[in-house]
Amino acid sequence: MNPCSFVNRHRILACALVCGAAFGAAAPAHARVFVGIGIPFGGYWGPPAYYPPPVYYPPPVYYAPPPVVYAPPQTYAPPQTYTRPQSGQMCYAQPYTCPMDHPVAYGSSCYCLGNGGQRVWGRAN
């Protein structure tokens, strides 16, 4: 008899005993199969049960656009014409009268420009 075959048999037998003990020590499974129809009976024989409605979320907030506001029509003033600054003094030169650019003493000599651009001499008031 071959000594190798004897050792191999003991190993195989020991492995089989350990596996058998492991599977045999496990508790049996408690499985059930339920076949039914989906009609609720409200607690078997009592009155029908009331189930509240599902949770209701309010609709999203809608922000309306701002109201349309029309700007009043703009009134345009006519452009201002240029006027010389008035110092309060006037120059009286024969038929011409003109305002003075800078103040001078009363009665001193002054001039106004005539129609042809010439100087017409007069007196300041």
Side-chain angles (χ1 to χ4, degrees):
M1 187 163 157
N2 188 355
C4 290
S5 64
F6 179 73
V7 173
N8 284 339
R9 287 184 191 158
H10 282 286
R11 284 185 183 170
I12 292 172
L13 182 62
C15 183
L17 288 175
V18 168
C19 289
F23 287 121
H30 298 288
R32 280 191 283 171
V33 175
F34 174 76
V35 178
I37 53 175
I39 300 175
F41 289 105
Y44 299 116
W45 295 282
Y50 172 74
Y51 297 104
V55 176
Y56 174 74
Y57 294 104
V61 178
Y62 173 72
Y63 294 103
V68 178
V69 177
Y70 294 103
Q74 299 208 1
T75 56
Y76 294 103
Q80 293 183 351
T81 58
Y82 174 75
T83 59
R84 284 183 159 173
Q86 299 290 329
S87 65
Q89 282 189 321
M90 298 291 286
C91 179
Y92 294 103
Q94 297 173 4
Y96 301 106
T97 304
C98 60
M100 305 222 13
D101 291 336
H102 55 280
V104 293
Y106 177 77
S108 62
S109 63
C110 64
Y111 67 91
C112 291
L113 295 177
N115 290 338
Q118 77 279 7
R119 291 182 180 180
V120 178
W121 290 97
R123 297 277 173 202
N125 70 346

